């Protein structure tokens, strides 16, 4: 559910997403060059999907995108709704423990 960035490689895009995979490469590359990098971690794509299921985000996101596609909702408002719901969400117990 959680992976330290120093253990993430470019090949881990499917597991942790492109941005986290890039951060992992950057972290390892900078450390190898002698640059001190603070530790960090990534949640896995499976953990993110579990967060979405736990908080009903799949339905909320689908509804917002449907309203957006139908012209009943502006892009910025769709993004606000989704971000607000994500910010209020709770991690499943197994992910929180990790």
């Amino acid at each position: 559910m959680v992976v330290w960035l120093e253990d993430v490689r470019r090949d881990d895009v499917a597991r942790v997403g492109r941005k986290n995979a890039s951060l992992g490469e950057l972290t390892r590359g900078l450390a190898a060059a002698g640059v001190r990098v603070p530790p960090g971690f990534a949640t896995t794509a499976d953990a993110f999907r579990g967060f979405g299921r736990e908080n009903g985000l799949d339905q909320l996101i689908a509804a917002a995108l449907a309203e957006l596609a139908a012209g009943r909702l502006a892009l910025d408002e769709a993004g606000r709704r989704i971000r607000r719901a994500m910010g209020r969400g709770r991690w499943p117990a197994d992910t929180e423990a990790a």
Side-chain angles (χ1 to χ4, degrees), residues 1-2 43 46-48 50-51 91-98:
M1 300 284 181
V2 177
T43 53
D46 286 338
F48 179 75
F51 177 81
W91 288 102
D94 60 342
T95 307
E96 189 172 337

Side-chain angles (χ1 to χ4, degrees), residues 60-61 64-65 68 73-87:
L60 183 137
I61 291 169
L65 293 177
L68 177 65
L73 187 65
L75 179 61
D76 62 336
E77 179 56 27
R80 242 188 319 276
R81 283 186 191 179
I82 294 166
R83 283 190 302 279
R84 194 175 318 126
M86 290 181 80

Side-chain angles (χ1 to χ4, degrees), residues 10-11 16 18 24 33 44 53-54 60 64 69 77:
R10 161 183 15 216
D11 297 342
V16 297
R18 186 170 311 284
T44 65
R53 279 190 305 276
E54 180 83 7
L60 183 137
E77 179 56 27

Side-chain angles (χ1 to χ4, degrees), residues 9-83:
R9 300 195 171 10
R10 161 183 15 216
D11 297 342
D12 292 320
V13 170
R15 184 167 68 136
V16 297
R18 186 170 311 284
K19 188 172 195 173
N20 283 324
S22 294
L23 285 171
E25 285 289 326
L26 182 63
T27 298
R28 290 182 323 101
L30 290 175
V35 176
R36 293 183 56 151
V37 178
F41 66 90
T43 53
T44 65
D46 286 338
F48 179 75
R49 284 188 283 275
F51 177 81
R53 279 190 305 276
E54 180 83 7
N55 294 283
L57 295 178
D58 297 342
Q59 298 89 337
L60 183 137
I61 291 169
L65 293 177
E67 285 188 64
L68 177 65
R72 293 187 306 266
L73 187 65
L75 179 61
D76 62 336
E77 179 56 27
R80 242 188 319 276
R81 283 186 191 179
I82 294 166
R83 283 190 302 279

